[in-house]
Amino acid sequence: MQSTISNQRARGSNQQSAVSNQLFMEGNQQSVISFQLFAFNFQLSTFNFQPFAFRFKLLALSFLLSAFSSLRAQETQKVYLSGTGNDHTVKWDFYCTAGRNSGKWSKIAVPSNWELQGFGKYNYGFDKDSVRGKEKGLYKYTFKVPSAWRGKKVNIVFEGSMTDTEVKINGIQAGEIHQGSFYAFRYDISKLLKYGSSNRLEVTVAKHSANQSVNEAERKADYWIFGGIFRPVYLEALPASHIERVAIDAKANGQFAAKVYTQSGAAKVSVQLYSADGQKFGNEMSSSIANGSSEILLSGSYGSPKLWSPEFPNLYKAVFTLYDNGKPIHSFSQKTGFRTIQVRERDGVFINGVKIKFKGVNRHSFWPSSGRTTSKKISIADVNLMKDMNMNAVRMSHYPPDSHFLDVCDSLGLFVMDELGGWHGNYDTPTGSKLLKEMMIQDVNHPSIVFWSNGNEGGHNRELDHLFAELDIQKRPMVHPWEDFNGFDTQHYREYNYGISNYMHGHSIVMPTEFLHGVYDGGHGAGLEDYWNEMLNHPLSAGGFLWDFADQGVVRTDKNGILDTDGSRGADGIVGPYHEKEGSFFTIKEVWSPVFFERREMTEGFDGVFNVENRYYYTNLNQCSFSWKLVNLKTNASKTGTAGSPDLKPFEKGKLKVDLPSDWRSFDVLYITATDPHKRELFTSSFPITLPAKEAAGMVVKEGKGAVSVTETDSLYNVKANGISLSFSKSTGVLKKVQNDAGIIPFSNGPVVQEGANNFSGITSRRDGDKLIIESTFNRKTSYNTLQWTIYPSGWVKLDVKYFPAEYLTNFAGINFSFPENKMKGMEYMGRGPYRVWKNRIKGNQFGVWKKDYNSTETGESWAYPEFKGYHSNMYWCKFLTTDQPFTVVTENEDLFLRLFSAAYKTDQWHNYEPLFPSGDISFMQGIPGIGTKTQRADRTGPMSMKNLFYDYEKEPARALNIVLYFDFSGK
């Protein structure tokens, strides 16, 4: 290993990561103190300290530390004055100047947004300035610092405060007022403290900034805007000679460079890497420090490091140690990962030499009950949900996130685009320069970050562009989201056809930083398969980022705790406010699965072979595992097994062989589950074995003991069979009434063709053996749609409809019936489920038997998922569970959609998001509509979103669409 040395002048703030000493001071009786000495961990957890007991414990620990001080370098001590997140807060004194609960001193949880704590005024970023809350929050907190800290450098650190923040210690201002919400800032308060006694912290926070550019960048935006100290506050104590921060660049080829920023006159600095199991990796590299130097460059190389990627997020711990006179005086630890980012002009983004397509999503730092105050637990949950959707990337929108979120992206594996604040406005240059530097100091070492973003959608201060490369040791690429800039076309919400005909034939790398804008149940998975297929196949595509991850539904403490998304503005998520999974979640999971199964029909000649494609970037499929399960859905009998993982490198195609038992055709469905090397399920694919006609043959009973009888009135055929009474219109053939011995089943007024002519006419009745047939007469000009009812002695009823859609392009193709919604309790059905579908969002469901209770969920407005109302795919049969008695419908048709009632109609001035449903209440469809996005009409999101096409062949009967249904009205 070789090292080179460079000593340079340094400027910047402190970033320490070290032993965590959580000393919750006066006003908080709980304390967690942890010290790491050598390989031992001494931890005192959650004691209920009385003041004397607390001082005794602290004294004992100080003695313990001094016993080891001559053997080990001091580590930065961190003392939290606040809690660490929304799941751990500390009460401070608080005074709100206006709005709710203002004009009096009380208590508030820190960290928090004060609106969620019952203070001030809620606002969305689109609210007019005249109605915005502009209150201030005044905080007070009393704390002690040990006498042993005298002579150390003590910083107070705020990880995030909205917005202008003035800090005083013992009545003296700690530094200039900080402006900008999402950036960690610190003050050296060493000379302001009273050591060994009480200190008074006073903080004044103005949610509306005195700097108009900050308001333009952060608070005039399409998201909720809050106020308060919303991220943790802590003290950090460092020895007089110390490492202030480091910036690391670890390349995939093993090349390693680190800038070490120090204060005062130490003689040497070193770094030693450790692998995840705590073993030393490579040799220590070190450098002497020239007099007066505060920036030292350590560089060298390591042999065959394990590389960092989302698929294998290998991390190392770099321990930096500062020496004076041969004695270690301060150590500093930083996690890092080896990986190389290369942008090849007019080609793509290569990470560790592999061309990447980003499967990404935009994410706000948000939780319904705490606003922008989150926790590491939430960060872990968010990243796991993204990984569960087979995503490999996330964009920070529209500001830097909590540090723990980036820590989780590092450790679990996601590419990150980190963003300087700016929605459509931007910071002025002096403010932006300062905040950009703070963002870099806080975030520069995360291997997950592969892009920087300078604002969003016009919120770009171009005078800051040069600073990204100047401040980043890794020189990561920087983009302007929504622009064609710096070799990247990141335009948002391009329509599918526009994309194909325009920017997909440009010369820039195509990477929309927002696409398929979610709203309610639209966007996201709806249209994704078309977009992704195009992205996969186009050499200039680098993938993209969906908008967005979660519904921004905030708890309104001023409105009895309702969840408020500000109408359609915040209802944009793939998951709900509390991470409830919408249908798109599973569509994305399937479309973005790195193991792609080619369609395969389970016919009699099936040989157990599936064509598969490896869509990973770094993983061979032989590192994954595959299991299968055969299930008889009627008896729940099953057989399971595993399949040998094929040896397929990334981007290769090959075959997966499943050795099924000889009786596999006696089962109804085959499930194959692909699992990644970390035991995370990629997707479970289902392959139906049984067909609707087979199920119908086994369910429908035709024979009965009694005869079918029919009587006529002026307008009706009245039919009876095995205790079931049916009435049909003599003029249209439509079912008018159903009744059995237990009462009326209010299923009626069908079939009604939609979209098409309801021209059933020439209705007649006749007998065919023991069956009664009521049917219409075909006429190519006047009654080309036909129906035939067959009533069996068992009481079962068959309907056979042949019809022609009204136009070449239609939203619907099928038949409707009426049923009162207030009579429906639920359903049980065989088909794909449990989520509803749209024409452009079919994937994601599994074949099986599903039971769903009725709900009136409106996606993004309420969150009881899966929704009951809507279209359900591949129905074989359905048992409707009503307030009176059940009835069952069975079909012989493959690919039939069941429609249940209608979700609430919505539209906008552009007619983008319009959930369309046929008339009637229950429908059996062969063509359904797609769903749009917030910014695009459905038919502009790809071929799957277009209307249904049908050529009528001049009404040739043999070419008509055909639906066959069987009805059991026995109430069983």
Side-chain angles (χ1 to χ4, degrees):
M1 179 189 307
Q2 295 183 351
S3 66
T4 60
I5 305 168
S6 174
N7 298 317
Q8 302 173 357
R9 284 285 176 188
R11 296 177 182 175
S13 302
N14 302 320
Q15 181 185 19
Q16 268 75 27
S17 170
V19 177
S20 174
N21 305 324
Q22 294 179 348
L23 308 180
F24 299 111
M25 300 294 185
E26 195 169 300
N28 183 18
Q29 293 182 329
Q30 291 193 337
S31 163
V32 179
I33 307 173
S34 59
F35 295 89
Q36 185 179 18
L37 301 173
F38 298 107
F40 302 96
N41 287 304
F42 297 87
Q43 187 170 1
L44 302 175
S45 300
T46 319
F47 283 96
N48 289 321
F49 288 119
Q50 297 298 326
F52 176 80
F54 174 80
R55 288 194 293 270
F56 179 79
K57 297 287 187 182
L58 185 59
L59 180 63
L61 286 167
S62 297
F63 177 79
L64 182 62
L65 277 177
S66 65
F68 288 98
S69 62
S70 63
L71 301 176
R72 180 175 173 82
Q74 295 182 54
E75 294 177 325
T76 306
Q77 293 171 273
K78 182 184 288 187
V79 177
Y80 280 90
L81 303 182
S82 70
T84 56
N86 68 356
D87 55 354
H88 181 198
T89 60
V90 172
K91 293 290 186 180
W92 289 14
D93 295 324
F94 183 70
Y95 181 99
C96 188
T97 62
R100 293 172 301 139
N101 293 310
S102 61
K104 58 186 179 182
W105 282 98
S106 57
K107 296 288 186 179
I108 194 170
V110 181
S112 69
N113 288 125
W114 62 57
E115 295 85 352
L116 280 299
Q117 300 295 312
F119 299 95
K121 184 178 182 180
Y122 282 86
N123 282 113
Y124 198 82
F126 285 163
D127 290 350
K128 294 181 179 179
D129 187 73
S130 60
V131 300
R132 288 179 182 236
K134 297 181 180 180
E135 68 273 11
K136 295 182 180 180
L138 282 61
Y139 297 81
K140 293 180 182 180
Y141 187 67
T142 302
F143 64 96
K144 292 182 179 179
V145 293
S147 299
W149 282 14
R150 195 185 306 273
K152 295 179 180 290
K153 180 178 181 179
V154 182
N155 295 319
I156 186 168
V157 182
F158 290 75
E159 291 197 349
S161 180
M162 294 177 172
T163 300
D164 291 358
T165 305
E166 179 188 58
V167 179
K168 292 181 179 180
I169 303 293
N170 297 321
I172 302 174
Q173 190 164 324
E176 67 177 10
I177 294 173
H178 187 270
Q179 296 178 323
S181 300
F182 303 98
Y183 309 86
F185 59 97
R186 49 181 40 83
Y187 301 105
D188 181 352
I189 60 172
S190 308
K191 296 179 180 180
L192 305 180
L193 292 171
K194 299 175 182 178
Y195 295 94
S197 61
S198 295
N199 293 269
R200 188 178 186 86
L201 169 64
E202 298 172 278
V203 185
T204 300
V205 179
K207 66 190 291 185
H208 185 81
S209 179
N211 183 330
Q212 187 56 28
S213 79
V214 173
N215 296 320
E216 294 291 332
E218 295 182 358
R219 304 188 68 80
K220 290 186 177 180
D222 190 3
Y223 48 77
W224 291 102
I225 53 176
F226 301 107
I229 302 171
F230 71 103
R231 289 177 181 166
V233 181
Y234 55 88
L235 303 177
E236 56 182 14
L238 307 98
S241 295
H242 61 268
I243 298 169
E244 194 172 80
R245 60 187 175 94
V246 301
I248 298 174
D249 183 17
K251 298 293 189 186
N253 62 1
Q255 291 296 313
F256 180 92
K259 289 183 180 179
V260 184
Y261 299 84
T262 66
Q263 281 196 4
S264 73
K268 187 180 78 167
V269 65
S270 69
V271 62
Q272 175 66 59
L273 265 58
Y274 294 86
S275 58
D277 59 3
Q279 299 299 308
K280 287 184 177 181
F281 177 71
N283 297 321
E284 179 183 83
M285 69 174 67
S286 64
S287 167
S288 59
I289 302 174
N291 289 335
S293 295
S294 56
E295 179 182 314
I296 303 94
L297 179 65
L298 294 173
S299 65
S301 61
Y302 292 91
S304 303
K306 293 183 178 179
L307 303 186
W308 186 95
S309 73
E311 294 169 27
F312 298 100
N314 296 300
L315 293 173
Y316 292 86
K317 182 171 74 172
V319 178
F320 295 84
T321 305
L322 199 62
Y323 294 86
D324 194 26
N325 295 321
K327 176 184 175 182
I329 58 176
H330 186 221
S331 68
F332 179 100
S333 297
Q334 176 66 57
K335 288 186 178 179
T336 189
F338 287 85
R339 55 104 182 90
T340 298
I341 307 161
Q342 182 185 17
V343 177
R344 299 180 188 174
E345 185 179 4
R346 300 192 180 201
D347 188 355
V349 181
F350 291 75
I351 299 179
N352 301 339
V354 180
K355 189 173 183 179
I356 300 295
K357 294 185 188 290
F358 296 99
K359 302 182 292 184
V361 69
N362 288 263
R363 175 198 182 257
H364 275 291
S365 298
F366 182 81
W367 192 249
S369 59
S370 56
R372 302 277 173 236
T373 302
T374 66
S375 66
K376 188 166 186 178
K377 180 180 178 181
I378 290 171
S379 291
I380 292 170
D382 283 7
V383 172
N384 271 319
L385 285 167
M386 294 173 196
K387 298 279 288 186
D388 285 345
M389 285 186 278
N390 292 310
M391 294 176 173
N392 65 7
V394 58
R395 175 190 173 209
M396 302 297 95
S397 52
H398 295 288
Y399 41 79
D402 302 89
S403 291
H404 52 69
F405 182 79
L406 296 175
D407 290 339
V408 176
C409 290
D410 291 343
S411 61
L412 294 183
L414 279 178
F415 293 127
V416 173
M417 178 181 289
D418 201 3
E419 186 155 297
L420 181 71
W423 190 66
H424 284 193
N426 58 264
Y427 303 114
D428 61 44
T429 299
T431 304
S433 299
K434 179 176 181 292
L435 296 178
L436 174 54
K437 187 173 183 179
E438 290 175 348
M439 180 179 79
M440 284 288 183
I441 289 172
Q442 187 81 349
D443 297 348
V444 70
N445 289 312
H446 290 281
S448 56
I449 296 175
V450 295
F451 278 99
W452 303 112
S453 163
N454 183 1
N456 171 69
E457 293 188 351
H460 323 296
N461 183 338
R462 300 175 193 279
E463 294 178 2
L464 305 179
D465 286 347
H466 68 98
L467 292 176
F468 284 86
E470 292 172 14
L471 295 173
D472 180 16
I473 188 174
Q474 299 178 27
K475 312 301 181 189
R476 281 165 279 211
M478 183 270 292
V479 298
H480 287 178
W482 207 17
E483 283 191 358
D484 191 341
F485 169 83
N486 204 21
F488 288 90
D489 188 341
T490 63
Q491 294 180 74
H492 294 175
Y493 310 123
R494 297 302 87 190
E495 295 176 355
Y496 181 87
N497 290 332
Y498 176 93
I500 291 174
S501 63
N502 192 323
Y503 73 167
M504 279 296 195
H505 291 290
H507 303 288
S508 296
I509 299 166
V510 179
M511 186 182 67
T513 39
E514 297 175 26
F515 77 110
L516 289 175
H517 195 310
V519 62
Y520 301 124
D521 203 27
H524 300 140
L528 179 61
E529 188 174 2
D530 281 333
Y531 272 78
W532 189 241
N533 286 338
E534 179 66 19
M535 290 173 170
L536 277 178
N537 293 325
H538 200 285
L540 284 180
S541 172
F545 297 79
L546 298 167
W547 183 270
D548 73 331
F549 174 63
D551 289 337
Q552 309 299 300
V554 66
V555 173
R556 293 296 296 261
T557 56
D558 59 341
K559 294 184 177 181
N560 297 317
I562 67 166
L563 272 178
D564 185 3
T565 60
D566 199 37
S568 66
R569 288 173 175 168
D572 297 348
I574 302 167
V575 298
Y578 289 106
H579 291 170
E580 303 91 341
K581 296 175 183 176
E582 298 180 9
S584 275
F585 181 97
F586 300 96
T587 304
I588 296 165
K589 183 178 180 70
E590 181 173 3
V591 173
W592 275 350
S593 172
V595 178
F596 174 76
F597 278 83
E598 189 177 283
R599 176 176 169 174
R600 184 71 200 265
E601 299 279 336
M602 303 292 287
T603 59
E604 187 173 356
F606 175 66
D607 58 2
V609 175
F610 292 88
N611 293 327
V612 295
E613 179 182 348
N614 182 356
R615 292 182 175 177
Y616 273 115
Y617 296 97
Y618 306 99
T619 305
N620 191 308
L621 286 196
N622 63 19
Q623 297 170 273
C624 299
S625 60
F626 296 84
S627 61
W628 57 264
K629 185 176 184 179
L630 288 165
V631 178
N632 184 310
L633 297 172
K634 293 174 279 296
T635 66
N636 289 324
S638 65
K639 290 185 177 181
T640 61
T642 59
S645 301
D647 181 10
L648 293 178
K649 297 175 184 178
F651 319 119
E652 288 185 344
K653 296 181 179 181
K655 300 184 183 300
L656 176 74
K657 181 69 167 65
V658 179
D659 294 320
L660 296 179
S662 59
D663 63 345
W664 66 268
R665 287 184 61 79
S666 65
F667 295 88
D668 295 319
V669 60
L670 169 67
Y671 301 108
I672 300 179
T673 299
T675 305
D676 79 0
H678 311 288
K679 310 305 179 185
R680 187 186 300 270
E681 179 191 318
L682 299 171
F683 193 73
T684 296
S685 301
S686 50
F687 301 89
I689 297 170
T690 188
L691 295 176
K694 178 183 177 182
E695 293 301 304
M699 294 180 68
V700 175
V701 178
K702 299 179 179 180
E703 293 76 18
K705 294 181 180 179
V708 180
S709 66
V710 58
T711 60
E712 297 185 36
T713 66
D714 288 344
S715 60
L716 298 173
Y717 290 113
N718 295 308
V719 181
K720 292 185 177 181
N722 199 24
I724 297 168
S725 299
L726 308 159
S727 296
F728 302 93
S729 168
K730 292 177 68 175
S731 59
T732 64
V734 165
L735 178 66
K736 303 300 273 184
K737 184 178 179 182
V738 179
Q739 187 171 357
N740 61 23
D741 293 340
I744 293 175
I745 296 176
F747 180 82
S748 61
N749 296 325
V752 174
V753 175
Q754 197 163 4
E755 295 168 50
N758 288 284
N759 56 9
F760 305 124
S761 63
I763 308 300
T764 61
S765 68
R766 62 182 175 87
R767 292 191 178 273
D768 181 8
D770 57 359
K771 305 181 292 290
L772 178 70
I773 295 176
I774 297 173
E775 59 190 349
S776 67
T777 303
F778 174 80
N779 182 288
R780 194 181 295 270
K781 292 187 178 295
T782 60
S783 55
Y784 43 80
N785 292 331
T786 62
L787 63 77
Q788 182 185 80
W789 294 98
T790 303
I791 300 91
Y792 298 99
S794 63
W796 277 78
V797 179
K798 177 183 178 182
L799 172 63
D800 189 336
V801 175
K802 294 181 173 63
Y803 69 102
F804 295 90
E807 305 288 344
Y808 180 63
L809 295 170
T810 61
N811 286 312
F812 313 106
I815 57 176
N816 308 321
F817 290 85
S818 297
F819 188 88
E821 189 173 329
N822 63 2
K823 294 281 188 180
M824 187 65 70
K825 290 172 57 180
M827 67 165 174
E828 184 177 8
Y829 73 102
M830 178 185 280
R832 289 192 179 268
Y835 282 82
R836 72 184 184 192
V837 299
W838 302 95
K839 185 174 183 286
N840 55 350
R841 197 189 74 192
I842 297 295
K843 286 191 171 180
N845 281 320
Q846 293 182 6
F847 183 78
V849 173
W850 305 98
K851 188 171 183 178
K852 296 175 68 172
D853 294 331
Y854 173 86
N855 63 53
S856 57
T857 296
E858 292 296 328
T859 313
E861 295 180 349
S862 54
W863 294 273
Y865 299 139
E867 304 91 338
F868 186 82
K869 300 177 185 179
Y871 303 103
H872 298 74
S873 62
N874 295 93
M875 186 199 96
Y876 282 44
W877 55 261
C878 182
K879 184 174 185 178
F880 297 92
L881 308 173
T882 78
T883 57
D884 298 320
Q885 52 183 321
F887 66 97
T888 300
V889 182
V890 181
T891 185
E892 292 182 352
N893 292 87
E894 296 185 58
D895 308 316
L896 195 68
F897 296 95
L898 167 65
R899 171 275 186 127
L900 286 172
F901 307 112
S902 299
Y905 180 73
K906 294 179 174 67
T907 189
D908 52 62
Q909 66 189 86
W910 305 281
H911 302 284
N912 289 332
Y913 180 83
E914 291 184 335
L916 301 179
F917 293 92
S919 60
D921 304 296
I922 296 175
S923 306
F924 305 93
M925 312 295 294
Q926 293 174 308
I928 62 172
I931 190 70
T933 77
K934 183 174 278 190
T935 58
Q936 296 159 272
R937 284 178 10 199
D939 60 357
R940 296 176 180 175
T941 62
M944 294 182 184
S945 310
M946 296 177 64
K947 291 185 176 183
N948 301 283
L949 281 72
F950 183 79
Y951 183 67
D952 70 1
Y953 299 98
E954 298 181 347
K955 306 297 189 296
E956 171 59 40
R959 295 293 188 88
L961 293 177
N962 182 217
I963 293 177
V964 176
L965 303 174
Y966 294 88
F967 302 87
D968 178 9
F969 295 122
S970 66
K972 298 178 181 178

